[in-house]
Amino acid sequence: MRRTPLTLAVSAALVAGTTLGLAPAAQAAEAGETAGTGIRFVDIAGEGGTVLKANVVTPAGSTDTTRHPLIVLPTSWAMPQIEYLVQAKKLADSGYIVVSYNSRGFWQSGGEIETAGPKDIVDASKVIDWALANTGADPAHIGMAGVSYGAGISLLAAAHDPRIKAVVALSGWADLIESIYSGRTQHLQAAALLGGAGYLTGRPGPELQQILGDFLSSNLDKEEDMIAWGRKRSPAEQLDRINANGAAIMLGNAWGDTIFPPNQYASFFEKLTGPKRLEFRPGYHATAEATGLFGLPNDTWTSAHRWFDRYLKGADNSIDREQPVQLKSRLQALDFARAGGTPVTGGYEGYADWKSVHANQRKFDLGGTQRVWANVDSGANGGITLLTNALDQFLRTPPVVSVPLLPRAFAGVWQSERYDTPQRVRGTVKVHTTVSSTKESGTLVAYLYDVGPLGVGKLVSNAPYTFHDRTPGKPFGVDLELFSTAYDVPAGHRLALVVDTVDPLYIEHNPTGAQLTFSSPSTDPSYVSVPLRKE
């Protein structure tokens, strides 16, 4: 419980940023209504009769006897029902009936926040039922889409309702545990943002309150309960049902999403057997889609419209013949060219599958033995939720450190050789090392930096790792996947792995006075494996 004041402070700061984003959305809604979109605001009875506040947008001149494909849009976490009005208008203009509803427990909708629980999934089907009974929606052509929370609900609904033929899930999750508890480490700022926004804009149910309290207070006695709760809400756990129902699924996310990191989406994508598409872009949680919600040109929403046109209308728009994995590097096409590469159309690179992204691996050794003291922030960190990766997306300014000046008492540092040619990192960097600790528990955070000639390191990726119940002084192996990324390291630079024990993004479990030792036994050498784009 000693971390509670920090949790509350983080929540307050992050929720303020979320709230500020609502006013422009309301203005967009007002502009849409004055343009004569024909929006109807309705009440829909969800599971147990709970009232869900919704809006319906229909094509111009449509009647209840004219059949149109239906798209259902559950709102994002903490967002009001007007969130998607701009995109709903665009979809209606191209022939869709669109029903957007406020997820239960938020704003004017009834009930309590269930966090994509069973009631939320029934709600999605109830909304489809309502649309089929009260609009000209075509029962044979139904899609769902959403950003963040709406993405997770859409994927889960596709596992339970075979009427859903196409899904677009943006900035969402497939595995809730791997999203906010990867490496057995609580993602503090992500959980605080979600929890704080939930309390500010809705009514968290008792189960969510209990889970959030146990999670943020590091109640390990409840760890199994928390994992079971998260699995029940993870589309990856219902993969067989999703595949059996056969919906065409498009997934989109940003490289810098620290709430729902890209790794878990990529793993889920590989196991889908129906029509599928995976798009990763620069940005942070939901920022890749945000400009489209305001009606500005947006690659993500353009792909979403094409996906629905293909799988709900049967349009021959070639999206099904394109490479299903589409990646854009964190450097834009112009920067890519300056780095010595050849720009691709729109800055995107296509791959046949996620495994192809990792086809070319290059390692550098983590030789020798390094010992660090825990509980002190070395200066290497992953930044601040929302702010850091948004700056990286729009200004290309990731967190930086001076690698030569990092205090070696608190940070282990290993560097590759200097590269003669650009290194186009694509996919998931893997770290293998041997660790021993003076205590039974501990947390380490690994960072990969792009280091220039002056020693300034730009953050490429990071990930945490926590252990419990280890024998003090006894070495054990650690395999850690950093968060997937696409980053172009210029010629003349090198890569550096930095490991320390404290990062504001995460809750750490290092007892006072702990020391961690990193070694590379001859029988099990330590290394970093870096996936590179094939030239």
Side-chain angles (χ1 to χ4, degrees):
M1 296 301 294
R2 62 186 176 85
R3 298 184 178 91
T4 300
L6 174 59
T7 298
L8 294 176
V10 172
S11 297
L14 296 177
V15 169
T18 301
T19 308
L20 291 175
L22 302 183
Q27 293 169 7
E30 292 171 3
E33 289 189 276
T34 58
T37 56
I39 299 168
R40 286 193 292 144
F41 290 87
V42 300
D43 290 348
I44 298 176
E47 166 68 356
T50 297
V51 173
L52 305 174
K53 294 294 183 178
N55 55 69
V56 184
V57 187
T58 55
S62 64
T63 67
D64 288 349
T65 60
T66 306
R67 293 298 177 189
H68 298 279
L70 169 68
I71 296 176
V72 175
L73 304 170
T75 55
S76 304
W77 185 272
M79 294 298 286
Q81 60 165 304
I82 59 174
E83 176 185 9
Y84 300 114
L85 281 183
V86 171
Q87 285 301 319
K89 170 65 165 57
K90 290 178 179 291
L91 287 165
D93 287 345
S94 62
Y96 294 94
I97 291 173
V98 184
V99 180
S100 175
Y101 70 96
N102 225 137
S103 304
R104 71 165 49 225
F106 287 104
W107 295 90
Q108 290 90 4
S109 282
E112 297 174 324
I113 301 172
E114 300 285 337
T115 322
K119 291 181 181 179
D120 290 298
I121 308 314
V122 175
D123 284 346
S125 291
K126 293 283 189 179
V127 171
I128 292 173
D129 293 341
W130 183 92
L132 294 177
N134 294 276
T135 73
D138 184 345
H141 299 92
I142 298 172
M144 284 193 68
V147 176
S148 187
Y149 193 45
I153 290 175
S154 296
L155 287 172
L156 289 165
H160 292 271
D161 195 329
R163 295 175 297 179
I164 299 168
K165 303 304 181 185
V167 172
V168 173
L170 307 174
S171 290
W173 76 91
D175 188 325
L176 197 55
I177 301 302
E178 281 301 307
S179 294
I180 61 174
Y181 196 49
S182 68
R184 208 179 175 187
T185 308
Q186 298 101 319
H187 294 209
L188 170 62
Q189 292 186 19
L193 169 63
L194 296 174
Y199 277 100
L200 182 65
T201 63
R203 298 166 300 283
E207 187 178 27
L208 174 57
Q209 294 182 46
Q210 181 68 50
I211 290 292
L212 192 61
D214 290 338
F215 186 83
L216 292 174
S217 63
S218 301
N219 186 354
L220 291 177
D221 291 337
K222 297 292 185 178
E223 184 180 35
E224 289 186 8
D225 293 340
M226 289 186 283
I227 290 174
W229 178 88
R231 284 178 175 163
K232 186 187 297 184
R233 290 157 170 80
S234 295
E237 295 292 322
Q238 302 188 39
L239 188 67
D240 289 346
R241 298 183 68 162
I242 292 173
N243 284 334
N245 287 341
I249 294 177
M250 173 184 152
L251 306 172
N253 206 350
W255 296 120
D257 192 338
T258 58
I259 296 179
F260 302 133
N263 303 47
Q264 44 93 35
Y265 245 18
S267 176
F268 177 69
F269 169 83
E270 283 291 89
K271 298 171 185 175
L272 291 171
T273 58
K276 59 184 179 178
R277 184 177 177 91
L278 177 68
E279 298 186 355
F280 284 147
R281 300 174 175 82
Y284 182 67
H285 182 68
T287 62
E289 302 87 32
T291 55
L293 295 176
F294 294 93
L296 299 174
N298 183 278
D299 290 351
T300 306
W301 285 105
T302 296
S303 291
H305 286 240
R306 294 178 66 217
W307 192 253
F308 284 134
D309 287 349
R310 175 65 187 90
Y311 290 103
L312 295 184
K313 289 183 177 180
D316 185 10
N317 58 13
S318 78
I319 195 168
D320 55 324
R321 296 190 294 276
E322 296 171 1
Q323 295 277 48
V325 176
Q326 295 287 321
L327 311 181
K328 177 179 276 190
S329 169
R330 286 161 54 189
L331 297 181
Q332 300 301 314
L334 178 60
D335 299 318
F336 187 76
R338 289 172 177 168
T342 302
V344 293
T345 303
Y348 288 91
E349 304 166 3
Y351 298 84
D353 51 34
W354 183 247
K355 288 182 290 187
S356 299
V357 178
H358 297 79
N360 184 24
Q361 299 279 333
R362 182 169 185 171
K363 293 182 178 181
F364 68 90
D365 295 332
L366 305 179
T369 298
Q370 297 195 34
R371 181 176 292 108
V372 301
W373 290 93
N375 306 112
V376 177
D377 191 339
S378 70
N381 65 71
I384 300 172
T385 290
L386 291 180
L387 176 62
T388 296
N389 288 296
L391 291 175
D392 186 27
Q393 176 185 1
F394 296 111
L395 301 178
R396 297 194 287 283
T397 55
V400 298
V401 296
S402 173
V403 173
L405 296 181
L406 286 170
R408 296 313 197 258
F410 309 117
V413 179
W414 298 264
Q415 298 192 71
S416 72
E417 75 275 19
R418 199 178 304 277
Y419 299 116
D420 295 330
T421 59
Q423 304 295 293
R424 302 185 192 3
V425 181
R426 298 291 185 272
T428 307
V429 175
K430 298 180 180 180
V431 177
H432 174 74
T433 189
T434 296
V435 179
S436 62
S437 173
T438 58
K439 305 291 184 180
E440 292 183 351
S441 298
T443 296
L444 60 94
V445 185
Y447 310 88
L448 188 70
Y449 286 100
D450 160 24
V451 184
L454 299 180
V456 175
K458 296 181 179 180
L459 185 65
V460 176
S461 186
N462 77 99
Y465 181 91
T466 293
F467 57 89
H468 297 287
D469 303 321
R470 290 288 181 177
T471 302
K474 184 177 180 179
F476 58 94
V478 170
D479 288 288
L480 179 60
E481 290 189 350
L482 305 191
F483 301 134
S484 303
T485 193
Y487 184 98
D488 300 313
V489 180
H493 288 212
R494 66 180 75 209
L495 288 170
L497 184 78
V498 175
V499 180
D500 72 2
T501 62
V502 177
D503 191 305
L505 286 173
Y506 313 112
I507 291 178
E508 49 87 11
H509 296 264
N510 296 297
T512 301
Q515 282 184 294
L516 300 181
T517 300
F518 302 91
S519 59
S520 181
S522 59
T523 56
D524 186 21
S526 298
Y527 61 85
V528 177
S529 180
V530 182
L532 301 175
R533 198 193 81 165
K534 277 192 172 182
E535 299 301 331

